[in-house]
Amino acid sequence: MAHADQPIKDDNIHISAPHIYGAVIEALELPKDSSLSFLNAGSGTGYLTCIAASILGPKSSHYCIEIHADAIEHCQQAITNWKRECSAPQRMQQIEIIHG
């Protein structure tokens, strides 16, 4: 099977089922290229934060709060990779990860 719409969990690293991200982003009605701040409590992998950052644009600020050190490490690496692979590096947003 190439795709299953179900969550993936490995210890404290958890990615929700893909449809969840679409439903959340749609419900938030995020305005494109906004100067809003985005708080993601229980941010886990940071995937939702990166989607929000892509929509909100470079004037926005993002805060990830996570209690698990291994999830924070994974999140930091994932965000670093995402920024490195971004096609428009000048559009990078501030993303702060907080251990809390």
Side-chain angles (χ1 to χ4, degrees):
M1 181 183 332
H3 171 76
D5 189 28
Q6 56 189 338
I8 299 171
K9 184 166 173 60
D10 182 16
D11 200 22
N12 291 319
I13 310 302
H14 177 263
I15 298 176
S16 295
H19 79 275
I20 294 295
Y21 295 104
V24 168
I25 291 297
E26 188 174 85
L28 289 172
E29 298 180 357
L30 300 173
K32 187 175 173 145
D33 293 322
S34 167
S35 60
L36 291 178
S37 296
F38 186 81
L39 173 64
N40 187 356
S43 60
T45 63
Y47 187 68
L48 180 62
T49 299
C50 289
I51 295 170
S54 295
I55 295 168
L56 291 173
K59 296 181 282 185
S60 61
S61 297
H62 303 269
Y63 303 92
C64 298
I65 300 177
E66 178 57 56
I67 62 172
H68 300 290
D70 56 340
I72 290 170
E73 184 177 324
H74 177 91
C75 180
Q76 289 170 330
Q77 186 60 51
I79 290 172
T80 297
N81 291 343
W82 172 69
K83 285 182 173 185
R84 184 177 42 237
E85 295 170 10
C86 183
S87 61
Q90 71 277 11
R91 292 184 48 84
M92 282 299 110
Q93 302 77 8
Q94 172 197 335
I95 299 176
E96 183 176 344
I97 304 167
I98 301 162
H99 190 192

